[in-house]
Amino acid sequence: MRKIAFLGAGNMAKAIINGLIAAKLYEPAEILVYNHRYEPTLAQLEKETGITGTTNLADVTEKGEILVLAVKPFVFPRLLADLKAGLTEDHLLVSIAAGVTIAQMEEIIGAHKIVRVMPNTPALVGEGMSSISPNGQVTEAEANEVKQLFESLGKAEQVPESMIDAVIGVSGSSPAYTYLFIEALADGAVAEGMPRPMAYEFAAQAVLGAAKMVLETKEHPGVLKDRVSSPGGTTIQAVKTLEENGFRAAVIKAVQVAADKSREMS
């Protein structure tokens, strides 16, 4: 793997760093992290992971080849402008910012290798889903190299950037919808007399197991649903109630409005 440097030391940067170390793609000391201030975030990251921290932006382009842009979108214009002078044709920029397009980055730094990545927060526990969208300057081998980096956090797939808004709706934002569903399941169990900690465990494990069934069996979710729904049984009655209350329509709409908001941000 080529030398890697991170710009930003927040939660997602930390998740990626921990994944790379756990997958043994890098030793901690081989990872350089830039932050504009040392205390407290960068100092804490150094202590927890063993990475090398710096507050000197020039270190990033001098010592890094893959540059992971893990800062808030509003920071991008100034950061890229400051970074531009040190960039060469060999640098590969990897952006994980929502709402910042490849074209917007190219307007600031010109024709450079850029891969736009959209991870999600389950990356923090090694079960993330990331989309990989390279620009025309990036080779297939380089795109695969970035894909390998993010597979250390869960799963990753290459998609055209035109699909990034759908990705945000279906995986980037959807952990929040899923937490709502788990909370609602648990509330229902609590209403039936189950202690709340136990209700959260039962609900969360059921969601985890159902998701694993979809991924591992490769069967249509509707087929798996039908297998649980015995004629005249408890499950089909519950499914009927969800349908009557617009469950699927609400979820579909949630994905679409998240995608709409992503387009608006861009």
Side-chain angles (χ1 to χ4, degrees), residues 140-218:
E140 183 178 352
E142 289 167 334
N144 287 333
E145 188 174 8
V146 174
K147 185 170 180 283
Q148 184 182 1
L149 295 178
F150 284 87
E151 284 176 337
S152 70
L153 310 176
K155 295 182 180 292
E157 292 292 341
Q158 184 169 328
V159 303
E161 191 188 17
S162 60
M163 288 174 57
I164 200 81
D165 300 313
V167 167
I168 289 171
V170 75
S171 71
S173 298
S174 67
Y177 329 152
T178 308
Y179 301 143
L180 281 174
F181 180 54
I182 290 171
E183 184 181 31
L185 285 174
D187 284 348
V190 170
E192 290 295 322
M194 182 179 284
R196 186 164 290 280
M198 184 183 292
Y200 284 137
E201 183 177 9
F202 270 77
Q205 182 61 36
V207 171
L208 174 63
K212 197 169 183 180
M213 287 283 287
V214 172
L215 291 172
E216 294 192 1
T217 67
K218 306 297 182 185

Side-chain angles (χ1 to χ4, degrees), residues 6 12-26 31 49 123-126 148-154:
F6 287 76
M12 191 55 72
K14 182 179 176 180
I16 298 169
I17 289 165
N18 283 332
L20 298 180
I21 294 170
K24 301 189 183 303
L25 294 176
Y26 291 92
I31 299 173
T49 64
L124 293 166
V125 293
Q148 184 182 1
L149 295 178
F150 284 87
E151 284 176 337
S152 70
L153 310 176

Side-chain angles (χ1 to χ4, degrees), residues 231-265:
T234 59
T235 304
I236 193 62
Q237 190 62 40
V239 168
K240 177 175 177 289
T241 299
L242 289 172
E243 294 285 11
E244 288 172 347
N245 286 277
F247 177 73
R248 284 199 291 181
V251 174
I252 291 168
K253 186 62 176 176
V255 173
Q256 291 178 317
V257 297
D260 287 343
K261 182 62 177 180
S262 174
R263 279 186 283 271
E264 180 185 321
M265 289 171 62

